[in-house]
Coordinates of all heavy atoms in Angstrom, one line a residue:
L1 N -9.2 5.2 12.4 CA -9.7 4.1 11.5 C -9.2 4.3 10.1 O -8.8 3.3 9.4 CB -11.2 4.1 11.5 CG -11.9 3.1 10.6 CD1 -11.6 1.7 11.0 CD2 -13.4 3.3 10.6
G2 N -9.3 5.5 9.6 CA -8.8 5.8 8.2 C -7.3 5.5 8.1 O -6.9 4.9 7.0
F3 N -6.5 5.8 9.1 CA -5.1 5.6 9.0 C -4.8 4.1 9.0 O -4.1 3.6 8.1 CB -4.4 6.2 10.2 CG -2.9 5.8 10.3 CD1 -2.0 6.2 9.4 CD2 -2.6 4.9 11.3 CE1 -0.6 5.8 9.5 CE2 -1.2 4.5 11.4 CZ -0.3 4.9 10.5
L4 N -5.5 3.3 9.9 CA -5.2 1.9 10.0 C -5.7 1.2 8.7 O -5.0 0.3 8.2 CB -6.0 1.3 11.2 CG -5.4 1.8 12.6 CD1 -6.3 1.2 13.7 CD2 -4.0 1.4 12.7
G5 N -6.9 1.6 8.2 CA -7.4 0.9 6.9 C -6.4 1.2 5.8 O -6.1 0.3 5.0
N6 N -6.0 2.4 5.6 CA -5.1 2.8 4.5 C -3.7 2.1 4.6 O -3.2 1.7 3.6 CB -4.9 4.3 4.4 CG -6.1 4.9 3.6 OD1 -6.1 4.9 2.4 ND2 -7.0 5.6 4.3
E7 N -3.2 2.1 5.9 CA -1.9 1.5 6.0 C -1.9 0.0 5.8 O -1.0 -0.6 5.2 CB -1.4 1.8 7.5 CG 0.0 1.2 7.8 CD 1.1 1.8 6.9 OE1 0.9 2.9 6.2 OE2 2.2 1.2 6.7
A8 N -3.0 -0.7 6.2 CA -3.1 -2.1 6.0 C -3.2 -2.4 4.5 O -2.5 -3.3 3.9 CB -4.4 -2.7 6.6
V9 N -3.9 -1.6 3.7 CA -4.0 -1.7 2.3 C -2.6 -1.4 1.6 O -2.2 -2.1 0.7 CB -5.1 -0.8 1.7 CG1 -5.0 -0.7 0.2 CG2 -6.5 -1.3 2.1
A10 N -1.9 -0.4 2.2 CA -0.6 0.0 1.6 C 0.4 -1.1 1.8 O 1.1 -1.5 0.8 CB -0.1 1.3 2.3
V11 N 0.4 -1.7 3.0 CA 1.3 -2.8 3.2 C 1.0 -4.0 2.3 O 1.9 -4.6 1.7 CB 1.3 -3.3 4.7 CG1 2.0 -4.6 4.9 CG2 1.8 -2.2 5.6
Y12 N -0.2 -4.3 2.1 CA -0.6 -5.4 1.2 C -0.3 -5.2 -0.2 O 0.3 -6.0 -0.9 CB -2.1 -5.7 1.4 CG -2.7 -6.8 0.6 CD1 -2.1 -8.1 0.6 CD2 -3.8 -6.7 -0.2 CE1 -2.6 -9.1 -0.1 CE2 -4.4 -7.7 -0.9 CZ -3.7 -8.9 -0.9 OH -4.2 -10.0 -1.6
R13 N -0.6 -4.0 -0.7 CA -0.4 -3.6 -2.1 C 1.2 -3.6 -2.4 O 1.6 -4.2 -3.4 CB -0.9 -2.3 -2.5 CG -2.4 -2.3 -2.7 CD -2.9 -0.8 -3.0 NE -4.3 -0.8 -3.3 CZ -5.0 0.4 -3.4 NH1 -4.4 1.5 -3.4 NH2 -6.3 0.3 -3.7
I14 N 1.9 -3.1 -1.5 CA 3.4 -3.0 -1.7 C 4.0 -4.4 -1.7 O 4.8 -4.7 -2.5 CB 4.0 -2.1 -0.6 CG1 3.6 -0.6 -0.8 CG2 5.5 -2.2 -0.6 CD1 4.0 0.3 0.3
R15 N 3.5 -5.2 -0.7 CA 4.1 -6.6 -0.6 C 3.8 -7.4 -1.9 O 4.7 -8.0 -2.5 CB 3.4 -7.3 0.6 CG 3.9 -8.7 0.7 CD 3.4 -9.4 2.0 NE 2.0 -9.4 2.1 CZ 1.3 -10.4 1.5 NH1 1.9 -11.4 0.8 NH2 0.0 -10.4 1.6
V16 N 2.5 -7.3 -2.4 CA 2.2 -8.0 -3.6 C 2.9 -7.4 -4.8 O 3.4 -8.1 -5.7 CB 0.7 -8.1 -3.9 CG1 0.3 -8.7 -5.2 CG2 0.0 -8.8 -2.7
G17 N 3.0 -6.1 -4.9 CA 3.7 -5.4 -5.9 C 5.1 -5.8 -6.1 O 5.7 -6.0 -7.1
R18 N 5.8 -5.9 -4.9 CA 7.2 -6.4 -4.9 C 7.3 -7.8 -5.4 O 8.2 -8.2 -6.2 CB 7.8 -6.3 -3.5 CG 8.0 -4.9 -3.0 CD 8.5 -5.0 -1.6 NE 8.7 -3.7 -1.0 CZ 8.9 -3.5 0.3 NH1 8.9 -4.5 1.1 NH2 9.1 -2.3 0.8
K19 N 6.4 -8.6 -4.9 CA 6.4 -10.1 -5.2 C 6.3 -10.3 -6.7 O 7.0 -11.1 -7.3 CB 5.3 -10.8 -4.5 CG 5.3 -12.3 -4.7 CD 4.2 -13.0 -4.0 CE 4.2 -14.5 -4.3 NZ 3.0 -15.2 -3.6
I20 N 5.4 -9.6 -7.4 CA 5.2 -9.9 -8.8 C 6.0 -8.9 -9.7 O 5.9 -9.0 -10.9 CB 3.7 -9.8 -9.2 CG1 3.1 -8.3 -9.0 CG2 2.8 -10.7 -8.3 CD1 1.7 -8.1 -9.5
G21 N 6.7 -8.0 -9.1 CA 7.5 -7.1 -9.8 C 6.8 -5.9 -10.5 O 7.2 -5.4 -11.5
S22 N 5.7 -5.4 -9.9 CA 4.8 -4.4 -10.4 C 5.1 -3.0 -9.7 O 4.7 -2.8 -8.6 CB 3.4 -4.7 -10.3 OG 2.6 -3.6 -10.7
A23 N 5.8 -2.1 -10.4 CA 6.1 -0.8 -9.9 C 4.8 0.0 -9.7 O 4.7 0.8 -8.8 CB 7.1 -0.1 -10.8
A24 N 3.8 -0.2 -10.6 CA 2.6 0.5 -10.5 C 1.8 0.1 -9.3 O 1.2 0.9 -8.6 CB 1.7 0.2 -11.8
L25 N 1.8 -1.2 -8.9 CA 1.1 -1.7 -7.7 C 1.7 -1.2 -6.5 O 1.1 -0.8 -5.5 CB 1.0 -3.2 -7.7 CG 0.1 -3.8 -6.6 CD1 -1.3 -3.2 -6.6 CD2 0.0 -5.3 -6.8
V26 N 3.1 -1.1 -6.5 CA 3.8 -0.5 -5.3 C 3.4 1.0 -5.2 O 3.2 1.5 -4.1 CB 5.3 -0.7 -5.5 CG1 6.1 0.1 -4.4 CG2 5.7 -2.2 -5.4
A27 N 3.4 1.7 -6.3 CA 3.0 3.1 -6.3 C 1.6 3.3 -5.8 O 1.3 4.2 -5.0 CB 3.1 3.7 -7.7
D28 N 0.7 2.4 -6.1 CA -0.7 2.4 -5.6 C -0.7 2.2 -4.1 O -1.5 2.8 -3.4 CB -1.5 1.4 -6.3 CG -3.0 1.8 -6.4 OD1 -3.3 3.0 -6.2 OD2 -3.9 0.9 -6.5
G29 N 0.2 1.3 -3.6 CA 0.3 1.1 -2.2 C 0.8 2.4 -1.5 O 0.3 2.7 -0.4
L30 N 1.8 3.0 -2.1 CA 2.3 4.3 -1.6 C 1.2 5.4 -1.6 O 1.1 6.2 -0.6 CB 3.5 4.8 -2.4 CG 4.7 3.9 -2.2 CD1 5.8 4.4 -3.2 CD2 5.3 3.9 -0.8
H31 N 0.3 5.3 -2.6 CA -0.8 6.3 -2.6 C -1.7 6.0 -1.4 O -2.2 7.0 -0.7 CB -1.6 6.1 -3.9 CG -2.7 7.1 -4.1 ND1 -3.8 6.8 -4.8 CD2 -2.9 8.3 -3.6 CE1 -4.6 7.9 -4.7 NE2 -4.1 8.8 -4.0
A32 N -2.0 4.8 -1.1 CA -2.8 4.5 0.1 C -2.2 5.0 1.3 O -2.8 5.4 2.3 CB -3.1 3.0 0.1
R33 N -0.8 4.8 1.4 CA -0.1 5.3 2.6 C -0.2 6.8 2.7 O -0.3 7.3 3.9 CB 1.4 4.9 2.4 CG 2.3 5.3 3.6 CD 3.5 4.5 3.6 NE 3.2 3.2 4.2 CZ 4.0 2.1 4.0 NH1 5.2 2.2 3.4 NH2 3.7 1.0 4.6
T34 N -0.2 7.6 1.6 CA -0.3 9.0 1.7 C -1.7 9.4 2.3 O -1.9 10.3 3.1 CB -0.1 9.7 0.4 OG1 -1.1 9.3 -0.5 CG2 1.3 9.4 -0.2
D35 N -2.7 8.6 1.8 CA -4.1 8.9 2.4 C -4.2 8.5 3.8 O -4.9 9.2 4.6 CB -5.1 8.1 1.6 CG -5.3 8.7 0.2 OD1 -4.9 9.8 -0.1 OD2 -6.0 8.0 -0.6
G36 N -3.4 7.5 4.2 CA -3.3 7.2 5.7 C -2.7 8.4 6.5 O -3.2 8.7 7.6
F37 N -1.7 9.0 5.9 CA -1.1 10.2 6.6 C -2.2 11.3 6.7 O -2.2 12.0 7.7 CB 0.0 10.7 5.7 CG 1.3 9.8 5.8 CD1 2.2 9.9 4.8 CD2 1.5 8.9 6.8 CE1 3.3 9.1 4.8 CE2 2.6 8.1 6.8 CZ 3.5 8.2 5.8

């Protein structure tokens, strides 16, 4: 459950971060991905 929740958040943050050009939001998505790991 923790992995799926974090990965879903990671994908969403990274997608929005790329769309608006925010490196910080992409990094926050990667942070969620590490917690998923």
Side-chain angles (χ1 to χ4, degrees):
L1 175 64
F3 170 73
L4 293 177
N6 276 285
E7 182 60 20
V9 166
V11 170
Y12 180 49
R13 284 178 177 174
I14 291 172
R15 179 173 62 82
V16 175
R18 290 176 183 168
K19 181 180 178 183
I20 68 174
S22 173
L25 187 54
V26 171
D28 205 22
L30 292 175
H31 183 209
R33 179 160 285 163
T34 62
D35 286 350
F37 288 158

